[in-house]
């Protein structure tokens, strides 16, 4: 059902008051179904509107963090040894520089994205206009960033995000995730698609030591195991997964052919046959990171685990407000993965569902290019204001 699913605590009620109208989202009358609502923004919102975003690139030292991530993933800090890795953080400051009275947005992009993705740029520009600093964390090895060792991108890894949060807390307030509460810097973690999965997983695993003021997840699974259900995944497997698999082969496999071949754990013919993200996860991510099978990997990767009682217990560990936004007609990350009915079993997870919207879509009006990705941007700004005021 469309609406916001949550436990009616005093804090949650105040947050919902600010966000409830977003659940009534209506798509442009000429766009039908989740496919078009997903594709249309990329066809109509061409170019970058609002001027160039001037990033400063910072480098975050991170633990090499071999898989599995496990319950202690967020606590893995860099060791200072030569086998540590480095991840990029692209930071855009508002006019006049950093303001400590405004929240800091830490943005996690999608699987094939980065700091130049149009919906990311829209979010960064709005944050800057409202006086906030916006930071885009580049997932390990993406945007052509270098990985020294053999531990490449892994969707379950949360330690890289934790290291980025430590850096921002120290740079802007001289603190860390272990500092006494309340923290001087209010960090709002915003994730899109794969970035949303990581954001939710980090927030749930880190619990009260997340260093965050709140988290927003758009079109991200809380339990990707649900996506494996044969009764649900047929359409996605036939239409969307081959496209995503092709992109992942280029981004992950092709660029790391030598490292993957050196491992001796991945067969080239298996990679060639893979026609979905799940297929690639089975033959690449699972063996390279020591998982038993793809279900084990997805359990470790998602805030809600397998979506069972243990998964809900993990999700309930979320100690700060986390808003998950999902469309029922999402053709990529199926609605069933967002665990909307289970939100009431947690104190801090709110799940906003819309009937329509697609995947990282939600175009609006007769001329969607005028509002671009404002639906997601507006929710991010509104949620941040509500969390920081509550």
């Amino acid at each position: 059902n469309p609406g916001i699913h949550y436990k009616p605590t005093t804090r949650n009620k105040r947050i919902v008051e600010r966000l409830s109208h977003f659940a009534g989202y209506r798509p442009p009358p000429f766009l039908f179904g989740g496919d078009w609502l997903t594709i249309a923004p990329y066809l109509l919102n061409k170019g970058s509107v609002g001027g160039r975003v001037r990033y400063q690139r910072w480098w975050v030292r991170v633990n090499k963090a071999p898989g599995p991530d496990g319950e202690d993933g967020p606590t893995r800090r860099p060791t200072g040894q030569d086998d540590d890795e480095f991840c990029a953080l692209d930071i855009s400051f508002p006019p006049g520089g950093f303001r400590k009275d405004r929240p800091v947005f830490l943005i996690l992009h999608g699987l094939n994205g980065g700091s130049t993705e149009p919906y990311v740029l829209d979010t960064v520009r709005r944050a800057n206009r409202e006086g906030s600093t916006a930071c885009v964390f580049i997932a390990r090895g993406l945007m052509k960033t270098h990985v020294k060792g053999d531990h490449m991108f892994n969707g379950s890894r949360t330690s890289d995000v934790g290291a980025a949060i430590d850096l921002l807390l120290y740079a802007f307030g001289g603190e860390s995730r272990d500092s006494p509460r309340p923290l001087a810097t209010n960090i709002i973690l915003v994730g899109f698609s794969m970035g949303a999965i990581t954001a939710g997983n980090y927030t749930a695993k880190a619990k009260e030591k997340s260093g965050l003021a709140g988290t927003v997840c758009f079109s991200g699974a809380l339990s990707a195991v649900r996506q494996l259900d044969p009764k649900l995944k047929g359409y996605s497997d036939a239409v969307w997964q081959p496209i995503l698999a092709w992109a992942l082969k280029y981004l992950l496999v092709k660029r790391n052919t030598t490292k993957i071949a050196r491992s001796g754990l991945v067969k080239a013919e298996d990679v060639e046959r893979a026609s979905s993200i799940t297929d690639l996860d089975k033959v690449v991510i699972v063996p390279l990171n020591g998982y038993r099978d793809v279900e084990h990997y997805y359990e470790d990767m998602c805030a809600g685990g397998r979506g069972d009682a243990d998964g809900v217990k993990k999700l309930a560990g979320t100690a700060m407000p986390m808003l998950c936004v999902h469309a029922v007609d999402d053709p990529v990350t199926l609605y069933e993965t967002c665990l909307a009915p289970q939100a009431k079993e947690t104190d801090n997870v709110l799940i906003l569902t819309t009937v329509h919207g697609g995947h990282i879509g939600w175009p609006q009006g007769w001329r969607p290019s005028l509002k671009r990705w404002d639906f997601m941007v507006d929710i991010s700004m509104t949620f941040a204001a509500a969390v920081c005021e509550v």
Side-chain angles (χ1 to χ4, degrees):
N1 295 326
I4 304 181
H5 306 261
Y6 66 102
K7 179 183 283 190
T9 64
T10 300
R11 178 166 67 177
N12 287 346
K13 286 180 179 179
R14 291 176 181 173
I15 295 172
V16 169
E17 285 178 6
R18 304 283 290 270
L19 294 166
S20 58
H21 65 283
F22 289 105
Y25 165 81
R26 289 188 174 185
F30 55 88
L31 293 177
F32 301 94
D35 293 322
W36 277 111
L37 294 172
T38 301
I39 297 170
Y42 295 94
L43 298 177
L44 301 174
N45 303 348
K46 291 187 177 181
S48 182
V49 177
R52 180 183 177 186
V53 172
R54 298 185 180 278
Y55 287 117
Q56 291 184 17
R57 173 153 289 186
W58 293 10
W59 290 96
V60 185
R61 189 169 195 142
V62 300
N63 191 296
K64 64 179 181 180
D69 189 61
E71 294 182 4
D72 65 340
T75 66
R76 295 185 186 180
R77 287 178 163 87
T79 63
Q81 303 300 313
D82 290 341
D83 61 355
D84 281 343
E85 293 285 353
F86 291 87
C87 292
L89 190 63
D90 287 347
I91 301 180
S92 179
F93 292 96
F98 173 73
R99 288 178 53 180
K100 64 181 180 180
D101 63 325
R102 304 296 299 164
V104 172
F105 289 88
L106 177 57
I107 300 168
L108 308 186
H109 57 76
L111 185 62
N112 62 341
S115 57
T116 57
E117 278 292 298
Y119 57 82
V120 170
L121 291 171
D122 283 4
T123 307
V124 170
R125 290 191 187 95
R126 176 73 72 80
N128 286 170
R129 286 202 302 270
E130 296 191 7
S132 287
T133 298
C135 314
V136 185
F137 182 75
I138 310 304
R140 186 182 297 194
L142 298 190
M143 283 195 79
K144 298 183 179 180
T145 53
H146 179 62
V147 178
K148 296 189 302 179
D150 294 333
H151 302 291
M152 300 163 289
F153 173 81
N154 171 3
S156 68
R157 186 181 291 116
T158 56
S159 54
D160 290 358
V161 176
I165 292 170
D166 271 336
L167 183 149
L168 295 175
L169 289 173
Y170 184 78
F172 298 141
E175 298 175 312
S176 76
R177 288 177 288 163
D178 297 323
S179 298
R181 270 48 176 176
L183 297 172
T185 305
N186 288 318
I187 297 179
I188 303 296
L189 185 60
V190 181
F192 298 95
S193 192
M194 185 66 237
I197 295 175
T198 304
N201 195 31
Y202 170 80
T203 306
K205 284 185 176 182
K207 300 179 181 178
E208 68 279 355
K209 293 287 189 179
S210 69
L212 299 171
T215 298
V216 190
C217 305
F218 292 101
S219 302
L222 290 178
S223 177
V225 172
R226 296 286 183 93
Q227 187 103 1
L228 301 177
D229 188 336
K231 297 178 182 178
L232 301 174
K233 68 174 185 173
Y235 181 76
S236 179
D237 272 7
V239 178
W240 286 94
Q241 291 299 318
I243 300 171
L244 298 173
W246 178 86
L248 190 59
K249 286 180 184 181
Y250 173 74
L251 291 167
L252 178 63
V253 180
K254 184 177 180 180
R255 293 181 181 175
N256 297 284
T257 301
T258 302
K259 294 178 181 180
I260 293 174
R262 188 167 59 228
S263 73
L265 299 171
V266 179
K267 297 179 180 179
E269 56 269 26
D270 290 340
V271 175
E272 291 175 0
R273 281 196 298 265
S275 61
S276 69
I277 294 294
T278 299
D279 288 344
L280 278 173
D281 287 339
K282 287 179 180 178
V283 301
V284 179
I285 301 295
V286 167
L288 288 180
N289 291 278
Y291 289 101
R292 295 189 302 271
D293 49 39
V294 74
E295 288 84 359
H296 182 208
Y297 171 46
Y298 286 173
E299 178 184 10
D300 194 29
M301 183 180 75
C302 292
R306 294 175 181 259
D308 54 9
D310 288 339
V312 174
K313 182 178 179 181
K314 175 184 176 182
L315 184 64
T318 304
M320 303 306 292
M322 180 166 74
L323 175 69
C324 303
V325 185
H326 214 103
V328 175
D329 64 1
D330 188 326
V332 179
T333 307
L334 303 181
Y335 171 75
E336 287 77 8
T337 66
C338 78
L339 303 180
Q342 284 80 7
K344 293 182 180 179
E345 299 179 43
T346 73
D347 290 332
N348 296 299
V349 179
L350 303 90
I351 300 178
L352 190 160
T353 62
T354 60
V355 175
H356 305 288
H359 185 81
I360 307 296
W362 291 285
Q364 302 177 81
W366 282 98
R367 297 179 64 187
S369 60
L370 296 179
K371 293 189 176 181
R372 296 172 60 81
W373 283 275
D374 278 359
F375 182 83
M376 294 188 293
V377 177
D378 289 342
I379 286 179
S380 299
M381 300 302 124
T382 303
F383 175 78
V387 165
C388 293
E389 289 176 5
V390 171

